[in-house]
């Protein structure tokens, strides 16, 4: 058993086809992301990957719709998404597949 610290990974991304990564794979990406109230992600799309975001703690908006702890959102490739934390918020994100650079601001 080996211990790692989330803070040592880029924006919480710890598995995927990037460095640093616990497991380097093109199959999928995994992140735990921690946001403060008011933090935002610019509206963007993924042309190749689908993204699954689970709200673990707090509340946020995706495209203006409110999501809370326990909600899971499936954002399909090509579907624009804009994120804002309306409370301190923690998410777990899985993207399938892992494709470097597959994020395009809208």
């Amino acid at each position: 058993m080996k211990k790692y610290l989330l803070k040592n990974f880029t924006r919480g991304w710890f598995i995927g086809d990037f460095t640093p990564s616990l497991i380097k794979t093109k199959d999928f990406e995994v992140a735990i992301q921690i946001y403060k109230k008011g933090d935002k992600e610019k509206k963007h799309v993924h042309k190749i990957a689908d993204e699954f975001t689970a709200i673990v703690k707090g509340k946020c908006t995706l495209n203006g719709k409110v999501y809370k702890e326990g909600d899971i959102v499936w954002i399909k490739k090509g579907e624009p998404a804009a994120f804002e934390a309306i409370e301190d918020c923690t998410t777990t994100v899985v993207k399938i597949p892992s494709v470097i650079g597959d994020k395009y601001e809208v």
Side-chain angles (χ1 to χ4, degrees):
M1 186 179 308
K2 197 168 180 186
K3 177 183 173 182
Y4 299 88
L5 298 174
L6 190 61
K7 70 179 182 178
N8 293 334
F9 296 91
T10 306
R11 297 186 57 243
W13 292 97
F14 64 96
I15 295 176
D17 190 24
F18 44 76
T19 302
S21 181
L22 292 176
I23 298 172
K24 192 167 177 75
T25 178
K26 293 178 186 275
D27 295 332
F28 62 95
E29 300 177 2
V30 180
I32 296 173
Q33 298 184 304
I34 300 168
Y35 298 95
K36 294 291 183 190
K37 180 180 178 178
D39 286 349
K40 296 179 182 182
E41 294 276 344
K42 291 182 181 178
K43 188 177 236 183
H44 66 279
V45 298
H46 301 289
K47 293 182 180 179
I48 300 169
D50 282 2
E51 181 173 298
F52 302 85
T53 299
I55 313 307
V56 177
K57 177 182 171 188
K59 288 184 184 175
C60 65
T61 61
L62 282 159
N63 295 342
K65 186 173 178 185
V66 175
Y67 294 93
K68 64 184 182 335
E69 184 175 319
D71 290 340
I72 300 172
V73 183
W74 182 355
I75 305 164
K76 295 184 179 183
K77 67 182 174 187
E79 184 177 1
F83 173 92
E84 182 174 357
I86 56 177
E87 296 179 356
D88 288 353
C89 187
T90 301
T91 64
T92 298
V93 182
V94 176
K95 283 177 46 186
I96 302 171
S98 179
V99 179
I100 295 172
D102 185 35
K103 184 174 183 177
Y104 305 88
E105 287 187 16
V106 176

